Amino acid sequence: MELSLLLSNNLPITFIDLHLFPGSPLMKYLAGAQTSFLLLITLSNEGTKTLPADQKPVALLCIGCSLITSSVLLFLKSFWKACYKTSKLPKKATAALVLFFEFLVSLGAAVLTIVAMPHLDIVTNVTILNGVGVLSALLQVVAQCTAKERNRFLLPSITAFILILLGYILFLVLYIMKDPNDTKMAIWVGLAVGGSFLVSFNWWDNYFRLISENSGSVSLKMLCRDMTKCQNMLQILSSLLRIVVTACVLGAYVPLSKMDWGIVTSIPSRETRIIAIIIGVQLISSALCHWFAVAACKMHALRRCFILPLYLASLAVMALLIIPVIVYYQDYRISLNGTESVNFTGYCTEVVYARNQSLNGNVFPHLVLDVTHTLCFLDMSTITDIGLLSGSAVAWWLGLVLATLHLWYLNVYRIQRTQDLFIRRLYEGTFIEQSLLFNTRFDIQTKDRMKRLDKYRPKKEPKINDFTFEAHIYFDDAFNAVEGHQGHHGSELNEYAINLVKILTEVYGNFMNIDEKFFREQQQIPDQKIVRTPYGGRLVVTMPHGNIIVVHFKNKELIRHKKRWSQVMYLYYLLGWKLTSKYYGCWQRGKDEKELQAEHNTYLLALDGDTDFQPAAVMLLIDRLKMYPRVGAACGRIHPTGSGPAVWFQKFEYAVSHWLQKTAEHVIGCVLCSPGCFSLFRAEALMDDNVMKRYSTKSMEASHYIQYDQGEDRWLCTLLLKQGWRVEYNAASDAYTNAPEDFKELYNQRRRWGPSTMANVVDLLGATSLISKRNQSISKLFMFYQLFALASAILAPATICLLIAGGLTFIFNINANSALVLSVIPPAIYLGLCFKLKTDTQIIIAEVMSVIYAFLMLVVSMTIISSMVKDKTILTPNSIFVVSMAIIYIITAIMHPQEFPLVFHGFLYIICIPSAYLLLTIYSMVNMNNVSWGTRETKPAAGAAPPTTTKPQTTAQKGR
């Protein structure tokens, strides 16, 4: 039996899923939800007095609401996914099959809880819930016989099925033989057995999929595939069907029982409070139990947080309901002082039946007596009735224990999906790419990262967590020309490349000396070899733990340089040659198809030279791609490092973009850009059609320079999205990267990001119909969200001008039109100057204007606050904008407590808004076609090759 037997999302949040869902660390929510639901059933019993007889429809209505609550939530969740994801309509045969079983399950749940259980005793109502797995136990036997594996659980499954059947037999004997002439009771008992049997169909799809996998039927496999593809639409239809069926059963049963619905609108306040408290406890406990159940599954704390609560829930609920009954019965016998002997039947006659229906005072005694009333039908004074009741309860409970015995032996792997718990997957290979920057200040970080990654490689056991690790460092422009020599042999490594070789030697020496009792620095020469290549040279170093570091020294006279062409080079080297050779070698050795397919389980980690991270962050990204086959790339949480106001601004900007933008894209669609400074790519996705071939296109038009060369990471993700791959964001995978610390670096970085972002978004919007059909994670509604974001970005400069105009109006008390003209004049002058001046001069002017605008924004902020205090209202446009932004940022910061201090940088971010959204837009627009990285001011004509630069690349090169 698959673990997913107990994890069906189609279960209503009632006693059924609370009893069969995986447990939570707090079992009190499980017991509280069951107890409150059983109290609602008890109140609907016709003989109980907490609720008068004419008010029983209220309790039945609450039971129905509890049944359909999860269906309503499932409908909303599926409808949301259908809007923001690509949802396909199922075939008629698939829809008919699913809706048929969903009809049986919903009909069984409604009949069991609304019609049958109110006429049964409390012990049976508690334990019959263990018997709803009768069909699951039978299908478990069939599935294990079909698979011919894990036969050690075959005998427990057969025993579980027999025990559950025995429980039903004892239950039938107890109720029917008590009074064979009682036709009504026979009907209630029959409905209880039939309803519980229909509820056991709830897990049919899990076994249906398992049996179809072991079957040779093509139609069954196609049916399962269609169910998986159309899951959202099927859940929408099935949840609506459950709601309709439950409403029909409830609506038909009340009139047939000669009860009046009109009492629902005129129930007294005291009874209303009683019902409200019970249903509130039930719904809140159900929601908390569901949340803790999901958390337990995600953490795979199955034994202590799943199995024990699963087994002990019935016992805990039984104790909560039966112990007060016994205590009240014994207190009554003691109160008689031995004057007369009263058995349980006499207690029912003298106390339970004869009590006054007045609810003045404490309600708890009345609830206890109502629970006692359900047991009065049976003669608890006779050994026969006690034995039959206890026998059925024990048989059902033991059947549940044996049916789930396999859970104790599950080997749960790290961060694995529940439906894949029995599927073994290995980390076959991981390649590390580094776009190393030419700056010595990053040498220590590079050394530490290589040391950590090499040491982190898991041990030989368990092999499930082992992986092959290679680091490829591509050194752009690594050679200097030698005077008097020409060609390939007239070049030598420059100082930066030589420095890298020294770093590798130092790292190797640290590794070899780390285990010395008394550390003494010794010179250690690593196992290395140098190879001359057509593009320059290659250095191969074998680290002490067996991992390999390959440094590719590129000569710009022999091969195209710049970051994108380095990526094209290593992708074709790793994916086009190395993996193909590996695949061919495995094929020659006669490996089967599964092993050949596993060779494609290879990932590339893209890094910048200054990115710092822990190996665990990489494993989180690997897990993400390992779990979801259609995820082509995944990025982590980037934390900018450095000092100064520019870095403070970026820290808050990065935080807000990750808290809000990337998270929103991940949830309602998929991430549009996986930054090149720390992202993991799937090799299979990069080798897909129209990805690498299109990525290696040479820029020939002005728009190509903007989209291809200024934002290579975003363009690569655009190609993945167009091909149907999903890009995800993992907030727990942290990486730290150096941010630009001066104004010029920051502006040159954003000058590349802004136009490339806009160009790629426009490209995606132009292919909306194609992408929404090909990519399951992107819908037209999500693309409309991107269109809205693009329009907001275009209107941002105008919004800033209006905001400044509003501040000028309040400060100087001038006409609004005049203030608007004054707010537009400075950016218009800067726009004109940018067409005449060099880029360095443009940046100097922007820096001065940014300081002036910062003081102006400070004054504007103070005036807005003063305006709110003076007018005693926040219902002005400026006030609403400022207050809403402050609330959003503070709430999101509270939800990220580890990063909450970053909210204090928000004030700097606000006063720098004119510089970031107005001046930077003008600067980027004028210098849009400048394809240099900020080190040279060259504007290529359309069709010309990109210019070259020999200066060291700076942090402004970094990808997003």
Side-chain angles (χ1 to χ4, degrees):
M1 180 176 67
E2 295 282 352
L3 178 60
S4 54
L5 162 69
L6 304 173
L7 298 176
S8 175
N9 289 329
N10 298 325
L11 283 173
I13 304 179
T14 60
F15 67 95
I16 299 173
D17 71 322
L18 293 176
H19 187 73
L20 292 180
F21 251 127
S24 68
L26 300 178
M27 196 183 69
K28 60 183 180 180
Y29 296 124
L30 184 63
Q34 288 191 19
T35 303
S36 57
F37 189 81
L38 291 170
L39 286 178
L40 287 175
I41 293 177
T42 301
L43 294 180
S44 62
N45 188 292
E46 59 186 9
T48 56
K49 295 186 177 182
T50 302
L51 282 183
D54 59 341
Q55 297 176 6
K56 299 301 179 182
V58 180
L60 294 174
L61 180 62
C62 292
I63 296 174
C65 293
S66 299
L67 288 176
I68 68 172
T69 298
S70 65
S71 298
V72 173
L73 296 177
L74 179 62
F75 170 79
L76 296 176
K77 180 181 179 180
S78 302
F79 183 77
W80 173 268
K81 288 184 177 181
C83 291
Y84 284 98
K85 308 289 181 180
T86 301
S87 300
K88 297 182 179 180
L89 291 175
K91 298 179 181 178
K92 294 182 179 179
T94 305
L97 179 67
V98 172
L99 293 180
F100 172 73
F101 283 105
E102 291 299 320
F103 172 78
L104 295 181
V105 172
S106 57
L107 179 64
V111 169
L112 177 63
T113 58
I114 297 174
V115 180
M117 289 179 68
H119 300 89
L120 305 178
D121 66 278
I122 192 66
V123 176
T124 300
N125 286 339
V126 172
T127 55
I128 198 174
L129 308 182
N130 297 328
V132 297
V134 57
L135 185 62
S136 297
L138 178 61
L139 292 177
Q140 190 177 147
V141 175
V142 175
Q144 291 191 19
C145 293
T146 305
K148 298 180 181 180
E149 294 179 358
R150 300 188 295 274
N151 289 328
R152 60 175 176 173
F153 299 119
L154 182 60
L155 182 60
S157 301
I158 297 174
T159 307
F161 178 71
I162 295 174
L163 285 174
I164 294 176
L165 286 182
L166 178 62
Y168 281 113
I169 293 173
L170 295 176
F171 166 63
L172 292 173
V173 171
L174 174 64
Y175 270 87
I176 294 179
M177 298 305 296
K178 187 70 176 178
D179 187 1
N181 297 324
D182 192 347
T183 306
K184 288 186 176 182
M185 182 55 65
I187 294 175
W188 308 136
V189 171
L191 291 175
V193 175
S196 59
F197 179 76
L198 292 179
V199 171
S200 63
F201 278 98
N202 196 86
W203 302 276
W204 68 274
D205 56 336
N206 299 307
Y207 295 105
F208 181 79
R209 296 174 192 272
L210 184 61
I211 293 174
S212 65
E213 290 178 359
N214 299 319
S215 174
S217 175
V218 178
S219 58
L220 289 180
K221 296 183 183 297
M222 293 295 293
L223 190 61
C224 290
R225 191 176 296 113
D226 190 42
M227 290 171 57
T228 302
K229 291 182 179 179
C230 308
Q231 182 179 9
N232 287 336
M233 299 305 300
L234 290 174
Q235 287 181 347
I236 291 175
L237 296 176
S238 62
S239 58
L240 290 176
L241 180 64
R242 285 176 179 251
I243 295 173
V244 172
V245 171
T246 304
C248 291
V249 171
L250 180 61
Y253 175 68
V254 171
L256 290 176
S257 301
K258 299 180 180 180
M259 290 184 284
D260 185 13
W261 278 114
I263 193 64
V264 175
T265 59
S266 59
I267 182 173
S269 59
R270 184 177 178 85
E271 285 77 3
T272 301
R273 288 194 297 272
I274 296 173
I275 292 293
I277 292 173
I278 295 177
I279 190 65
V281 170
Q282 202 278 327
L283 294 177
I284 294 175
S285 299
S286 300
L288 291 174
C289 180
H290 174 78
W291 188 87
F292 281 111
V294 173
C297 292
K298 294 298 182 182
M299 296 184 296
H300 300 298
L302 300 180
R303 291 175 176 83
R304 64 180 183 274
C305 298
F306 172 39
I307 304 176
L308 289 180
L310 179 70
Y311 295 160
L312 300 179
S314 298
L315 304 180
V317 174
M318 187 76 70
L320 288 173
L321 296 174
I322 298 302
I323 290 179
V325 173
I326 298 175
V327 171
Y328 273 62
Y329 173 54
Q330 294 297 331
D331 288 344
Y332 177 76
R333 296 184 62 182
I334 295 174
S335 66
L336 297 177
N337 295 324
T339 56
E340 56 179 313
S341 178
V342 178
N343 56 16
F344 189 80
T345 303
Y347 173 72
C348 290
T349 303
E350 297 178 9
V351 178
V352 179
Y353 295 150
R355 63 185 167 126
N356 189 355
Q357 194 167 344
S358 175
L359 291 180
N360 296 327
N362 193 1
V363 180
F364 182 76
H366 293 277
L367 291 175
V368 174
L369 293 179
D370 283 341
V371 172
T372 307
H373 176 270
T374 63
L375 296 168
C376 290
F377 172 79
L378 306 174
D379 190 357
M380 293 293 99
S381 301
T382 62
I383 300 298
T384 303
D385 288 2
I386 295 176
L388 291 175
L389 184 62
S390 302
S392 63
V394 172
W396 280 328
W397 187 80
L398 290 177
L400 174 68
V401 171
L402 293 176
T404 57
L405 188 64
H406 68 286
L407 299 179
W408 288 96
Y409 301 94
L410 283 180
N411 293 322
V412 181
Y413 302 135
R414 190 170 51 85
I415 318 179
Q416 191 169 12
R417 291 188 299 176
T418 51
Q419 59 263 40
D420 294 336
L421 287 174
F422 294 96
I423 299 176
R424 185 179 180 182
R425 296 180 180 178
L426 300 178
Y427 296 122
E428 293 296 332
T430 304
F431 292 101
I432 307 295
E433 173 266 329
Q434 299 184 20
S435 300
L436 188 66
L437 304 184
F438 296 178
N439 201 319
T440 55
R441 64 175 175 174
F442 304 138
D443 292 346
I444 301 300
Q445 292 183 357
T446 304
K447 176 186 69 175
D448 291 340
R449 283 182 316 179
M450 292 185 292
K451 182 192 302 184
R452 289 197 298 261
L453 284 171
D454 187 48
K455 190 176 181 179
Y456 182 79
R457 180 181 178 181
K459 307 301 180 183
K460 297 298 182 181
E461 298 294 339
K463 292 184 178 181
I464 190 63
N465 286 332
D466 198 13
F467 59 87
T468 301
F469 161 73
E470 290 185 12
H472 289 260
I473 303 176
Y474 282 77
F475 212 109
D476 213 3
D477 195 5
F479 290 87
N480 288 332
V482 179
E483 295 183 4
H485 295 80
Q486 295 180 353
H488 188 14
H489 298 281
S491 302
E492 61 181 8
L493 291 179
N494 58 29
E495 58 177 317
Y496 302 105
I498 296 175
N499 191 28
L500 177 61
V501 177
K502 294 179 180 179
I503 292 174
L504 295 177
T505 304
E506 182 181 354
V507 172
Y508 192 89
N510 290 346
F511 260 120
M512 299 303 294
N513 298 324
I514 196 68
D515 296 327
E516 295 290 336
K517 185 175 182 180
F518 298 100
F519 179 79
R520 290 178 297 176
E521 186 174 355
Q522 302 176 6
Q523 183 68 22
Q524 300 288 344
I525 305 299
D527 182 12
Q528 60 185 5
K529 60 180 179 179
I530 301 175
V531 181
R532 184 175 293 275
T533 63
Y535 57 82
R538 182 170 71 241
L539 173 66
V540 182
V541 180
T542 303
M543 300 299 289
H545 289 273
N547 296 312
I548 297 175
I549 298 178
V550 183
V551 184
H552 303 267
F553 296 107
K554 293 175 58 181
N555 190 334
K556 69 177 182 179
E557 302 297 335
L558 303 176
I559 192 172
R560 290 194 184 102
H561 64 299
K562 295 294 185 183
K563 187 174 182 179
R564 180 164 72 95
W565 293 110
S566 293
Q567 293 174 345
V568 172
M569 174 183 164
Y570 74 72
L571 288 175
Y572 273 108
Y573 166 70
L574 295 176
L575 308 181
W577 178 78
K578 194 164 186 177
L579 284 183
T580 303
S581 301
K582 186 178 182 181
Y583 181 93
Y584 182 72
C586 294
W587 177 77
Q588 283 187 323
R589 291 193 296 270
K591 288 190 175 183
D592 57 24
E593 185 64 25
K594 292 184 178 180
E595 290 178 329
L596 290 175
Q597 191 69 23
E599 302 296 343
H600 288 283
N601 195 13
T602 302
Y603 314 108
L604 287 91
L605 180 65
L607 299 172
D608 277 350
D610 60 341
T611 302
D612 189 24
F613 61 93
Q614 293 296 327
V618 181
M619 300 307 297
L620 289 173
L621 297 182
I622 294 177
D623 290 327
R624 179 70 64 174
L625 270 66
K626 175 175 170 284
M627 286 189 296
Y628 303 103
R630 290 306 301 173
V631 176
C635 60
R637 170 71 168 91
I638 309 300
H639 301 267
T641 59
S643 59
V647 177
W648 301 340
F649 171 86
Q650 293 174 84
K651 284 185 176 181
F652 184 79
E653 183 190 33
Y654 273 67
V656 171
S657 64
H658 284 85
W659 294 347
L660 301 176
Q661 181 181 354
K662 267 194 166 44
T663 304
E665 290 179 347
H666 174 85
V667 172
I668 66 178
C670 62
V671 178
L672 299 187
C673 178
S674 188
C677 60
F678 185 71
S679 294
L680 190 71
F681 293 88
R682 187 186 298 274
E684 182 182 359
L686 296 174
M687 290 188 295
D688 203 354
D689 297 336
N690 298 321
V691 177
M692 275 312 304
K693 184 177 181 180
R694 182 81 185 277
Y695 190 65
S696 58
T697 303
K698 185 178 179 181
S699 302
M700 300 300 295
E701 300 178 5
S703 60
H704 293 171
Y705 292 113
I706 297 172
Q707 185 176 6
Y708 299 175
D709 295 321
Q710 295 190 17
E712 63 286 328
D713 47 5
R714 182 174 283 273
W715 186 45
L716 181 59
C717 292
T718 299
L719 296 176
L720 292 174
L721 296 175
K722 283 186 173 182
Q723 202 59 28
W725 294 94
R726 175 174 170 80
V727 181
E728 290 197 348
Y729 165 63
N730 192 323
S733 180
D734 295 307
Y736 301 85
T737 185
N738 286 79
E741 296 184 356
D742 60 64
F743 193 84
K744 180 179 178 180
E745 276 189 306
L746 179 60
Y747 254 51
N748 281 325
Q749 181 191 69
R750 301 311 168 89
R751 186 261 302 162
R752 295 185 298 105
W753 288 9
S756 66
T757 298
M758 187 172 296
N760 281 276
V761 172
V762 170
D763 188 8
L764 290 173
L765 291 174
T768 296
S769 299
L770 176 64
I771 295 177
S772 60
K773 292 180 181 179
R774 182 176 294 177
N775 197 316
Q776 297 182 356
S777 299
I778 296 180
S779 65
K780 292 183 179 180
L781 190 59
F782 175 71
M783 296 308 297
F784 177 78
Y785 162 76
Q786 293 299 329
L787 177 62
F788 177 80
L790 179 64
S792 301
I794 295 174
L795 296 176
T799 305
I800 300 302
C801 290
L802 291 175
L803 181 64
I804 295 174
L808 293 176
T809 302
F810 184 85
I811 296 173
F812 301 106
N813 194 21
I814 60 178
N815 183 269
N817 295 329
S818 301
L820 182 60
V821 172
L822 290 176
S823 65
V824 173
I825 290 176
I829 295 175
Y830 179 67
L831 176 62
L833 293 176
C834 287
F835 282 104
K836 299 296 182 180
L837 303 176
K838 296 182 179 180
T839 54
D840 287 343
T841 308
Q842 297 173 25
I843 292 177
I844 294 174
I845 296 175
E847 189 171 5
V848 175
M849 294 183 65
S850 298
V851 175
I852 298 174
Y853 270 121
F855 282 105
L856 181 60
M857 283 297 297
L858 180 61
V859 176
V860 169
S861 302
M862 299 302 296
T863 55
I864 292 175
I865 297 174
S866 302
S867 176
M868 288 189 291
V869 175
K870 179 181 178 181
D871 299 336
K872 297 181 180 180
T873 180
I874 61 172
L875 301 179
T876 61
N878 289 337
S879 301
I880 293 175
F881 174 77
V882 173
V883 172
S884 60
M885 288 297 100
I887 292 175
I888 291 174
Y889 293 154
I890 292 174
I891 291 177
T892 52
I894 292 175
M895 297 175 67
H896 300 79
Q898 291 182 340
E899 301 179 75
F900 184 82
L902 295 179
V903 76
F904 297 105
H905 297 312
F907 182 74
L908 176 63
Y909 178 83
I910 291 175
I911 65 175
C912 291
I913 284 178
S915 176
Y917 292 96
L918 183 59
L919 301 180
L920 181 59
T921 301
I922 297 173
Y923 176 76
S924 301
M925 180 178 63
V926 174
N927 299 278
M928 186 177 296
N929 287 336
N930 186 353
V931 298
S932 71
W933 296 74
T935 59
R936 189 172 177 179
E937 299 140 11
T938 305
K939 300 180 182 178
T948 61
T949 177
T950 58
K951 292 186 179 182
Q953 300 171 10
T954 64
T955 315
Q957 297 175 244
K958 299 180 60 54
R960 284 142 294 181

